[in-house]
Amino acid sequence: MTAMRDFWQDSGYHLLERTERGHLTVTDDFLRAYIRRPEVSPVPESNEAERQLHAALLRNPREAVSEERLAALEDADAIENYRLVLAFRDRLTAAESLEDCYLQIFLAPEGIVLPPLFLDQLAHVIARSMLEGEEDALRVRAAETFFRAQKVTINDGAIMAADAETVEMFATTGGFGSLGRLVAEAQTPLRTVELDVVNETNADIYWDRASRYDTVLNLNFAGTGLDALCRVLERWVKHFLDVAVSIQPVQKISDERWVWHIGLDVEATKMLNDLYNGVEVGEGRLARLLSLFRMEFQDPSVVAPGIAGRPVYLALAMTESGQLRLKPQNLLVNLPLAERA
């Protein structure tokens, strides 16, 4: 019997527990990981009140912290950082699971009040749990788009998505960290680094470097990379909502009865809205449309009346600068589902 693949060790997945449903529940060790973050760890300039608060929260990461106690830190940046981390902690501990916490953040009437960093970290660890036991490296690589921005390049018709942070690192340091940055500032040419494209023939290279985020995904129509993205999008919906869907790429929307659509990112949302409303979309914007999808529900009864039996169209697009910033929450909070009893 082969051992299950491990990946994304930086997600915090191993610090959590799973419910019978397969959702994640918060633990003290998971909360401590946030208390240990550099944003709230004491620095040489920290006063005694800050050091005592940090030590107390490491002992009991669920301990209540009053405004008076925060004010005693005296440093405005430290106070704000603690306030953000504690607000996130309180959301995590109040929810039945991390999945419930994630959904509640986007459905809250006051809107999204947490920094994007926390949202990406939640998507990261939930996707890691969702993919437990997955043997298809392409699907795991495709799921990186749920929590890490991608830099997209299109050459000779090939749509290549690479991790934006990794691309930036190589662009500024050549992959040599601070030393490489010094060389770059001295205007000395850096070594050109080409990231490996993961495909069905070399997929095994992914596992040893899964937490490095340094592989490239081909998103061409009818390709295995785009198919992998479809499969993890389907699983995302099933994991959260227990709704079975089928998602397939399409080359265009030819549907006179087009009734519902969801953009998987900000650019795609705007573009689909304009196309649906008959607003002219110029060639420049259309060139940034990376993929269209048709989503269908296995059980039409879960869909709201008037939409049941009709497909939902999805789209993926990049910005003018070539960045793809997937918003996987869109696929959860914008589905036209019927109200459940």
Side-chain angles (χ1 to χ4, degrees):
M1 184 177 180
T2 57
M4 285 192 293
R5 303 279 193 180
D6 195 13
F7 54 94
W8 303 348
Q9 288 89 351
D10 55 334
S11 68
Y13 170 67
H14 299 91
L15 300 175
L16 294 160
E17 296 175 353
R18 296 181 68 162
T19 67
E20 290 184 4
R21 185 185 172 190
H23 285 190
L24 297 169
T25 56
V26 72
T27 64
D28 285 356
D29 283 340
F30 187 76
L31 296 176
R32 286 189 183 97
Y34 281 91
I35 305 304
R36 291 189 174 102
R37 285 188 63 88
E39 294 89 344
V40 291
S41 292
V43 295
E45 297 77 21
S46 299
N47 64 15
E48 186 59 26
E50 183 176 345
R51 296 180 189 281
Q52 289 182 3
L53 175 59
H54 191 261
L57 287 171
L58 285 179
R59 286 192 300 270
N60 176 16
R62 300 174 193 253
E63 182 172 321
V65 179
S66 66
E67 280 296 320
E68 291 77 16
R69 203 169 174 188
L70 285 178
L73 306 186
E74 296 180 347
D75 181 86
D77 289 337
I79 292 170
E80 179 61 18
N81 288 342
Y82 265 97
R83 188 172 282 123
L84 289 171
V85 169
L86 291 171
F88 183 53
R89 176 202 69 175
D90 292 345
R91 282 181 176 269
L92 288 172
T93 55
E96 289 187 11
S97 67
L98 266 67
E99 286 83 352
D100 286 339
C101 178
Y102 186 77
L103 283 176
Q104 290 165 11
I105 289 169
F106 298 107
L107 297 174
E110 70 270 20
I112 301 170
V113 295
L114 289 172
L117 171 68
F118 292 143
L119 308 180
D120 288 340
Q121 289 173 342
L122 275 180
H124 188 181
V125 71
I126 293 170
R128 171 61 185 88
S129 176
M130 177 187 80
L131 292 168
E132 176 72 356
E134 179 59 63
E135 290 291 327
D136 187 335
L138 277 173
R139 294 185 184 184
V140 179
R141 173 58 183 89
E144 289 182 17
T145 62
F146 286 22
F147 55 91
R148 293 184 69 92
Q150 305 292 303
K151 179 69 174 179
V152 178
T153 56
I154 302 177
N155 291 316
D156 297 326
I159 304 172
M160 298 296 186
D163 187 85
E165 187 176 311
T166 301
V167 170
E168 176 65 17
M169 180 190 71
F170 279 121
T172 56
T173 73
F176 293 107
S178 56
L179 173 62
R181 189 172 289 108
L182 289 173
V183 174
E185 289 171 355
Q187 298 183 338
T188 301
L190 291 169
R191 180 186 67 182
T192 299
V193 178
E194 293 188 4
L195 304 179
D196 291 317
V197 180
V198 178
N199 54 48
E200 61 273 28
T201 60
N202 71 351
D204 279 347
I205 68 170
Y206 179 84
W207 300 114
D208 289 336
R209 47 205 282 193
S211 294
R212 285 161 48 184
Y213 307 106
D214 64 352
T215 56
V216 180
L217 187 68
N218 184 320
L219 293 175
N220 277 29
F221 181 80
T224 53
L226 195 59
D227 179 77
L229 179 60
C230 289
R231 303 293 79 77
V232 292
L233 289 170
E234 291 171 351
R235 196 179 302 186
W236 187 250
V237 175
K238 179 69 174 177
H239 181 78
F240 274 92
L241 306 176
D242 197 25
V243 171
V245 297
S246 170
I247 299 175
Q248 302 297 334
V250 295
Q251 290 186 300
K252 61 181 180 178
I253 300 175
S254 301
D255 189 342
E256 295 181 358
R257 296 177 59 202
W258 174 358
V259 294
W260 202 271
H261 60 265
I262 299 172
L264 296 175
D265 57 86
V266 172
E267 294 293 322
T269 298
K270 294 176 182 177
M271 203 175 303
L272 281 180
N273 286 343
D274 284 347
L275 290 169
Y276 181 78
N277 292 315
V279 177
E280 184 68 26
V281 177
E283 290 186 10
R285 283 182 69 196
L286 279 177
R288 302 202 298 272
L289 182 64
L290 301 175
S291 306
L292 289 168
F293 309 90
R294 177 186 176 105
M295 180 170 69
E296 296 179 313
F297 296 84
Q298 191 176 94
D299 179 4
S301 70
V302 304
V303 184
I307 301 175
R310 303 298 307 154
V312 171
Y313 293 101
L314 314 174
L316 201 62
M318 63 180 178
T319 64
E320 284 187 75
S321 63
Q323 187 171 90
L324 168 62
R325 195 71 175 84
L326 196 75
K327 292 186 173 295
Q329 68 268 21
N330 287 6
L331 201 51
L332 305 175
V333 301
N334 295 325
L335 287 181
L337 299 180
E339 291 188 15
R340 296 188 180 184

